[in-house]
Amino acid sequence: MTITKFIPCVACLSLLLACSQAPEPAVADFNSEKTQGLVLLSGLPALGTKDSLAIVELDPESAKFGEILYEYELPEFDAPLHHLYYSPSGRLYATGLGTQCSLAEVKLVRSASGAPAVNDVDCLNTHGQVVGEDIMWHAVDGTQYMFVTFMGGTGLDQADGGSVGVFNSQNNELVTIIEARKSVVGEGQPYIMYPHGISAYEDRMVVSSTVHPDLATGVGNAVTVIDLNTFEPIENIITEEAKPVGFPSSPVEVLFVRPSIVAGAQPAVLVNTMFGFETWKIPYNAEAKTFGTPEKLYDGAAAGTGVPLEFYGNEEELFISHAIPGVVKRYSLKDLPDLVSSGEDIQAELGAHHMIFFETASGRKLIAIQNNLLNLGNAQDNDPTDVDFIAKLNDHSVTVHDLITGERLGAVNFKAKFNKGIDNIEALFGSGFVHHH
Amino acid sequence: MSKRQVVLLATAFAAVAVFSTLSFLLVNTAPQGKPLKNFTAPFVYGRFAIPPDNPLTEEGVELGRRLFYDPRLSSNNQVSCSTCHQQSLAFTDGLTGSVGVSGKPLAFNSMSLANLLWGPQFFFWNGRSDSLEQQALIPLQHPDEMGQDLDELVQELEQDTTYRQLFRIAYGGISAETIAKALASFQRTLVSANSRYDQFLRGEIQLTEQEEWGRKLFMAHPDTKASLRGGNCIDCHSQFLTSGFNTKFDGFINNGLDDEANLSPGLAEVTGNEAHRGVFKTPTLRNIAVTAPYMHDGRFQTLEQVLKHYNGGIKPSKTLSPLIAEADNLGNFSDGKISLNLREEEAQAIIAFLHTLTDETFLTDPRFSNPFSDKAK
């Protein structure tokens, strides 16, 4: 069965064509690195290429648009690195979908010409935790930790595995593993299974229960609440209604809406369900520290979208990517935790996933969207790691759009141009977004 | 003219021609400097740009280092750049006002030369120099600093075989312009990136409780409504790890040293703008514990005195930075006295944090030391 059978009709393209007056260019002071993206690229086995970390120019106004300005070949791991994150102190980390390097620190330096370069990729000791997904830095009782979700937990052979690694954010050493397998804790007890998305507010953390890394053994349908005072799971909340593809809902990314993101906002957790095609809101009472009944805010099956993935925010809007048909929906930040549309969808490509925001030398505000779900191979290319339905959600491109109008200004197809897939995008100069979960 | 005389004359002409050609080639050979290897700078400090017409090369940097430490660059052959910029003091000199060939103390305190890569413009306390290359020749010629005539200096350096060779390889020949380029190149390599705070940023160490408290105070603008206490340092010292700012006159402020009647011209001397009176460049805080005395005129001998200035010593004027005027941990704006109103232990915590910016590696790095010293030889 393939998910693509359930691809709903693509919503009509209706771009806003309102013109914006570009401010006077300030080229002399312009930091050109603001338009450069840091991308994780996957070698495609049948095309003879290797995994790499590259810096690519994404300013459509630049003569170098779409060019790789710098590339660092990564060691051969059993699965690609998948996510990049800048820590609050500017250190760069990557999570990996395999077992050999599930969490790494990437050491960036500058050469004598000032050009950025990778000095080293240091795979960190996760103490057996595998398939790293998301990272969040969060302070507990005044101490900052690096929390990492490991969808494979402490072993891929576990049918109900999954863990949250708590690391010392200074020296990267493991502090503790938060793990609560269903088969261990017993029926009715709070569990952690295949955690992927992660978000936190004060002393409460939520992680999603997505899918076993082998994409076959099991699929989750809940989020887990973790008490950060004890580092113990205390509650599971199911976010599932329709099953448009017949699988459990597979919550993927979560966003704890909190006052630091939206001043005065009523705290709540937003949840995207990968196979449920839905976005949910779980209200949170910060005084009582209780979560309310989940409410479905968005139904992709009805609205013609599927596989909602990421939450990204800038100062004014929240953006949610939907891999099917490849759109980014936009919502007013001030209205969170409710989803109030702030404009037309940005029409990307199949697999719309990660994104960054930046400004060009001429002052134009842009969004670049990575259109690729996962690089696990493609039967058409005789890739040994093929997972067909995922391959169909891989356009292998980054599309660049005017942030205000959504107009597409350019596209870079990494498979066509470099024989590689693209796993992640991050802005070279800082994170390229304000909020990301 | 005899045949012998004709032969001699012809030989002489030929010799002159050959000599002229050789001289031309020696002076005007295309630069052949090798790109500087084994040089890396921290990514986290942000981007920097090297002038395209003065890339960092092995020979250019070596040359710049020799020039920097060579007293022959001064009119009395006794003062070098390093006289006022000593490595052990983070390339300052410990004096209120530096003393050069004239023996008269200058009106300004010697500035540190650490991490100039990240502050590529508006050098000197009043920002009067647009580039490191331009800056390099100003103290050379200043009558109170090095008092050197540039034409004479070029001639003097031409007499030195080592200089001739290095200049030829690095820049094709000796001129005031290439002297400036070499000095700028060496100064660009003066990267300080191994203080305890750098090690903290890299995750290698933890700060002590007091240092961490100081770090938080350093980073915070006081907000009484939010019960947030702060030292307000970061408002002006946002580039405290490097040596300046990329954008226009960002980083130039009046920090309340003098009242309206006694304001120095400062940046106004360069811009002619009255609003820039009393406005000076915010210096790096890297290695600040070894760069006393402080402020553009070296009026404070200790960091305690500096903190005391911000804690009750600020003098109001029309150009005083509003970021300073509005920073008060007690919110007592109505009493007419501008003060951070920090507690003593808070000031001490900030000072403890400032001490984490001392980079012993930088202060002793042999690559930056005097190449003429016995140790370097």
Side-chain angles (χ1 to χ4, degrees), chain B residues 99-126:
Chain B
V99 179
V101 292
S102 72
K104 290 192 294 188
L106 301 174
F108 293 97
N109 180 247
S110 173
M111 297 187 87
S112 174
L113 303 182
N115 293 352
L116 296 169
L117 269 175
W118 291 273
Q121 55 190 355
F122 306 129
F123 295 96
F124 296 110
W125 286 104
N126 63 3

Side-chain angles (χ1 to χ4, degrees), chain A residues 31 91 108 110-111 114 168 170, chain B residues 41 46-48 200-201 203 205:
Chain A
N31 180 353
R91 294 161 68 183
L108 288 173
R110 290 179 185 276
S111 69
N168 180 316
Q170 269 302 105
Chain B
R47 70 180 182 127
F48 60 81
F200 166 79
L201 288 178
I205 63 160

Side-chain angles (χ1 to χ4, degrees), chain B residues 122 126-128 130 248-249 252 265-279:
Chain B
F122 306 129
N126 63 3
R128 66 184 182 275
D130 287 338
K248 296 179 181 167
F249 289 116
F252 281 80
L267 182 60
E269 200 170 14
V270 176
T271 63
N273 186 343
E274 278 290 294
H276 291 157
R277 286 171 62 243
V279 167

Side-chain angles (χ1 to χ4, degrees), chain A residues 28-33 86 89-91 105 108-116 119 142 168 170-171 428-429, chain B residues 36 39-50 56 118 121 199-206 216 246-248:
Chain A
D29 290 329
F30 183 69
N31 180 353
S32 59
E33 289 181 356
Y86 276 108
S89 60
R91 294 161 68 183
E105 181 171 1
L108 288 173
V109 295
R110 290 179 185 276
S111 69
S113 68
N119 204 26
N168 180 316
Q170 269 302 105
N171 59 21
L428 173 64
F429 195 81
Chain B
L36 189 63
F39 176 92
T40 59
F43 177 81
V44 73
Y45 297 171
R47 70 180 182 127
F48 60 81
I50 305 288
L56 288 177
W118 291 273
Q121 55 190 355
Q199 293 165 25
F200 166 79
L201 288 178
R202 294 196 296 264
E204 294 165 5
I205 63 160
Q206 309 270 6
K216 286 176 176 162
N246 279 313
T247 306
K248 296 179 181 167

Side-chain angles (χ1 to χ4, degrees), chain B residues 35 43 60 66 69 102 104-105 109-111 116 127 156 179 181 213 224 259 269 275 295 301 306 316 347 362 364:
Chain B
F43 177 81
R66 290 181 73 88
Y69 283 98
S102 72
K104 290 192 294 188
N109 180 247
S110 173
M111 297 187 87
L116 296 169
E156 201 171 347
I179 291 169
K181 282 184 172 179
W213 185 25
T224 50
D259 59 24
E269 200 170 14
M295 304 298 156
Q301 298 301 312
V306 173
F362 178 75
T364 57

